[in-house]
Amino acid sequence: QVQLVESGGGLVQAGGSLRLSCARSGRTFSTYTMGWFRQAPGKEREFVAAISWSGGRTSYADSVKGRFTISRDNAKNMVYLQMNILKPEDTAVYYCAADSGYTTVVAGRPEYWGQGTQVTVSS
């Protein structure tokens, strides 16, 4: 089993920054693709970003490209999402996710999910 715990959410003004963290425990971390997803009120959960087990491959939703950066520290079993130039439309619950397959994460079907952390961006 894999356990994922997100942290770092909060309230921020538009144009500001936040850094989300996801702590992973359980099976060997370094072999898993990690991803971030978000779900805004009344909307379906959507893909935000993914990073391969080595960190050498990343993918982003068009809506966050150039503003968000995903990274990971395999030694610490952590994955991060640096969010800059935040907009009110970024308001959502953000979820960390993991799967052994990169395309599976990007397609929105990772096996493991965290509980989520709320990000609210005020205008």
Side-chain angles (χ1 to χ4, degrees):
Q1 284 291 333
V2 173
Q3 292 80 43
L4 304 171
V5 179
E6 303 95 336
S7 61
L11 174 65
V12 63
Q13 288 188 333
S17 298
L18 277 177
R19 187 196 196 204
L20 304 183
S21 299
C22 174
R24 182 204 175 279
S25 60
R27 291 182 179 173
T28 304
F29 178 71
S30 61
T31 61
Y32 278 78
T33 290
M34 303 297 298
W36 287 97
F37 293 76
R38 66 185 182 186
Q39 187 168 20
K43 295 186 177 181
E44 294 186 354
R45 188 154 51 187
E46 64 176 0
F47 169 78
V48 175
I51 187 166
S52 64
W53 66 269
S54 69
R57 184 181 181 185
T58 57
S59 298
Y60 295 93
D62 287 343
S63 59
V64 306
K65 280 181 182 177
R67 298 189 298 122
F68 291 11
T69 302
I70 188 171
S71 61
R72 66 190 294 165
D73 184 337
N74 288 344
K76 297 182 178 179
N77 287 349
M78 297 290 294
V79 64
Y80 307 99
L81 186 68
Q82 178 66 44
M83 306 185 294
N84 299 327
I85 318 175
L86 283 161
K87 305 175 181 179
E89 51 263 44
D90 294 319
T91 295
V93 177
Y94 283 71
Y95 297 90
C96 179
D99 195 274
S100 57
Y102 190 89
T103 54
T104 303
V105 173
V106 174
R109 300 189 304 272
E111 183 174 4
Y112 302 103
W113 294 90
Q115 294 299 307
T117 185
Q118 176 71 46
V119 171
T120 303
V121 184
S122 63
S123 58

